């Protein structure tokens, strides 16, 4: 098994690959904290203005099909999703916890490519916790507005079926 790599020509603010990796980890810590704390109005700010957010079954992803469960192609579309979640959709109260796995970071010409596993657990107040998503995130981060932002996030879930209760973002 090869170790995760970072192209040493792309550096963090402190001038080194370790600094870049720390910035990427800090980005994901803030991203998942916002979602787990249900600060959904903050979620779109983690993305660039023009971005891709996709939640797709593994079979479609591996075959190169773009048919997915959820997709947004701009920060505005993500903001619309949040508005729907907070103001127009009705569903039983629930909590989500996201458990990201080991982070792989690779510098690329078009930004920073990352990959990590993701497990999402949902708890409805009157039920036992249940896994709603198990998969892998393929992301592309870029410098934007003075910090790292997601230009692309593709969440590939392992099952052919996903719980219809996947309400909040991954």
């Amino acid at each position: 098994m090869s170790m995760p790599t970072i192209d040493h020509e792309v550096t963090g603010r402190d001038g080194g690959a370790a600094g870049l990796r720390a910035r990427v980890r800090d980005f994901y810590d803030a991203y998942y904290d916002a979602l787990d704390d249900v600060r959904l109005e903050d979620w779109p700010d983690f993305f660039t203005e023009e971005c891709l957010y996709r939640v797709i079954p593994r079979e479609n992803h591996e075959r190169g099909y773009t048919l997915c469960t959820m997709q947004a192609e701009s920060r505005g579309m993500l903001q619309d999703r949040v508005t729907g979640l907070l103001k127009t959709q009705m569903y039983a109260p629930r909590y989500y916890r996201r458990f990201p796995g080991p982070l792989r970071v690779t510098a690329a010409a078009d930004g920073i490519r990352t990959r990590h596993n993701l497990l999402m657990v949902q708890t409805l107040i009157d039920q036992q916790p249940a896994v709603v998503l198990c998969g892998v995130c393929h992301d592309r981060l870029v410098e934007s507005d003075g910090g790292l932002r997601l230009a692309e996030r593709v969440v590939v879930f392992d099952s052919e079926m996903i719980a219809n209760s996947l309400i909040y973002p991954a």
Side-chain angles (χ1 to χ4, degrees):
M1 177 181 280
S2 64
M3 296 295 292
T5 60
I6 297 177
D7 180 343
H8 293 283
E9 292 181 16
V10 177
T11 60
R13 288 188 180 154
D14 71 355
L20 174 63
R21 186 171 183 81
R23 289 183 64 220
V24 170
R25 284 189 181 278
D26 288 347
F27 173 85
Y28 282 112
D29 288 348
Y31 180 88
Y32 288 120
D33 281 349
L35 291 176
D36 284 352
D37 292 345
V38 197
R39 294 191 327 268
L40 298 178
E41 62 281 351
D42 295 344
W43 178 58
D45 294 333
F46 287 93
F47 291 82
T48 58
E49 196 63 43
E50 297 299 318
C51 60
L52 174 66
Y53 174 79
R54 179 180 288 160
V55 179
I56 186 169
R58 182 178 187 163
E59 179 181 14
N60 288 359
H61 181 73
E62 288 178 351
R63 292 183 177 182
Y65 301 152
T66 58
L67 182 62
C68 56
T69 304
M70 193 181 308
Q71 181 165 310
E73 298 174 359
S74 70
R75 187 185 296 163
M77 290 178 79
L78 297 174
Q79 289 167 333
D80 287 347
R81 174 94 179 130
V82 169
T83 298
L85 288 169
L86 296 177
K87 297 189 180 187
T88 64
Q89 295 181 359
M90 297 183 59
Y91 45 86
R94 65 196 68 227
Y95 299 99
Y96 283 103
R97 294 287 174 229
R98 292 152 187 87
F99 299 92
L103 178 63
R104 294 181 191 107
V105 179
T106 306
D110 61 350
I112 303 160
R113 296 284 178 165
T114 68
R115 180 183 188 278
H116 63 276
N117 296 333
L118 182 63
L119 180 70
M120 281 180 63
V121 176
Q122 171 183 263
T123 304
L124 277 78
I125 294 171
D126 61 345
Q127 296 179 19
Q128 290 293 316
V131 173
V132 292
L133 184 137
C134 179
V136 63
C137 301
H138 301 274
D139 298 339
R140 182 169 58 92
L141 298 163
V142 297
E143 286 287 341
S144 176
D145 300 326
L148 293 175
R149 300 278 183 272
L150 285 161
E152 185 175 305
R153 180 168 181 83
V154 178
V155 180
V156 180
F157 58 91
D158 292 332
S159 175
E160 289 183 12
M161 298 186 60
I162 192 167
N164 62 6
S165 61
L166 182 62
I167 295 168
Y168 293 131

